[in-house]
Amino acid sequence: MTLTAFLAAAASPVAAAPTRLDPIQLFLDADIVVQIVIIGLLLASIWTWAIIIGFTLRMGRTRRHARKFEDDFWSNSDVDSVMDSRRTKENPSARVAAAGISEYRRSHKKGLRDREAARARVAQAMEGQVAVESDTLADRLNFLATTGSVAPFVGLFGTVWGIMNSFFQIGLQQNSSLAVVAPGIAEALFATAVGLFAAIPAVIAYNRLSNTVNGFEARLTRFADRVHSQISREMEGA
């Protein structure tokens, strides 16, 4: 090496090695297939959090409306004034009560020739409505269950693809040094990390929110039982 070349090499700035992981740079350096996998997992994670926040707000509002309706229902002797169309449309408890009262009135209009059959129809109408309300509340939770179970495998697919790409680079460059293999492996493992990032909140939220739905279903069932008891007493006096 000549003196001029030595001085030029000494004067040139040495690129500083990264001191921490840069997720954005890992994403930009990744293979197009791994990038697609990561984008899909990030979108699933965003939708998961949207469902969690939306469901939590909706459930809190639904509980307040149900509690208010049930208090008014038991404290007011005029059922028709409580069962207005707007409340029945927006309130699960109101719809459950409306199903039982509607069935009772249809049976009463035809004459209560068989009170036990009428009681059974009223109970069945309210039980069916409770099931409908629970299914409606839990509808979007299926996405959380799907994300929680599928996202790790989607991330694993990105990992396998990235490792395959690393082996391809080894064969292409005829070099098995860590400098050749490490970038591809880092990109691959990043896909797995994103998959877990999407899956873990989805699993936790699904279990927690499912318990919330089950608890609200039990509350509706207890309310339906009380309404059924009240209707049965009215049938006895009819």
Side-chain angles (χ1 to χ4, degrees), residues 72-228:
D72 292 345
F73 185 86
W74 296 119
S75 62
N76 198 326
S77 58
D78 185 4
V79 175
D80 290 330
S81 65
V82 180
M83 301 293 298
D84 61 85
S85 59
R86 184 173 180 273
R87 298 184 78 176
T88 303
K89 182 179 179 181
E90 297 179 353
N91 197 311
S93 295
R95 288 192 288 267
V96 170
I101 293 171
S102 177
E103 180 60 39
Y104 164 70
R105 287 176 175 173
R106 282 196 297 267
S107 300
H108 191 272
K109 185 182 297 184
K110 297 178 182 179
L112 292 174
R113 290 185 292 270
D114 189 344
R115 285 181 170 80
E116 290 303 320
R119 288 191 182 96
R121 288 194 299 269
V122 169
Q124 187 174 13
M126 287 192 292
E127 288 173 4
Q129 190 62 40
V130 168
V132 169
E133 299 300 334
S134 300
D135 291 342
T136 301
L137 288 173
D139 183 36
R140 286 190 173 185
L141 299 186
N142 292 331
F143 182 82
L144 299 182
T146 301
T147 301
S149 59
V150 173
F153 295 100
V154 175
L156 182 60
F157 169 76
T159 299
V160 171
W161 187 272
I163 292 175
M164 288 170 58
N165 189 49
S166 296
F167 281 113
F168 176 77
Q169 293 299 324
I170 291 174
L172 185 66
Q173 300 183 26
Q174 299 294 317
N175 186 354
S176 61
S177 67
L178 190 61
V180 175
V181 179
I185 294 178
E187 297 160 10
L189 295 177
F190 181 57
T192 299
V194 175
L196 295 176
F197 175 78
I200 292 173
V203 171
I204 295 174
Y206 177 76
N207 292 332
R208 181 70 183 89
L209 299 181
S210 294
N211 289 334
T212 301
V213 172
N214 292 336
F216 189 73
E217 181 180 8
R219 175 178 183 154
L220 289 179
T221 300
R222 290 192 297 270
F223 175 68
D225 290 340
R226 291 184 65 188
V227 174
H228 183 262

Side-chain angles (χ1 to χ4, degrees), residues 12-65:
S12 62
V14 178
T19 59
R20 61 183 178 82
L21 288 175
D22 187 351
I24 296 177
Q25 193 59 46
L26 283 174
F27 172 78
L28 294 176
D29 293 339
D31 184 80
I32 183 63
V33 175
V34 179
Q35 287 181 344
I36 292 173
V37 168
I38 292 173
I39 290 173
L41 290 171
L42 289 176
L43 291 176
S45 179
I46 292 171
W47 186 239
T48 293
W49 281 105
I51 291 175
I52 293 171
I53 296 171
F55 182 89
T56 301
L57 296 175
R58 178 187 178 189
M59 202 68 213
R61 185 170 58 252
T62 299
R63 281 173 168 170
R64 288 193 301 271
H65 290 170

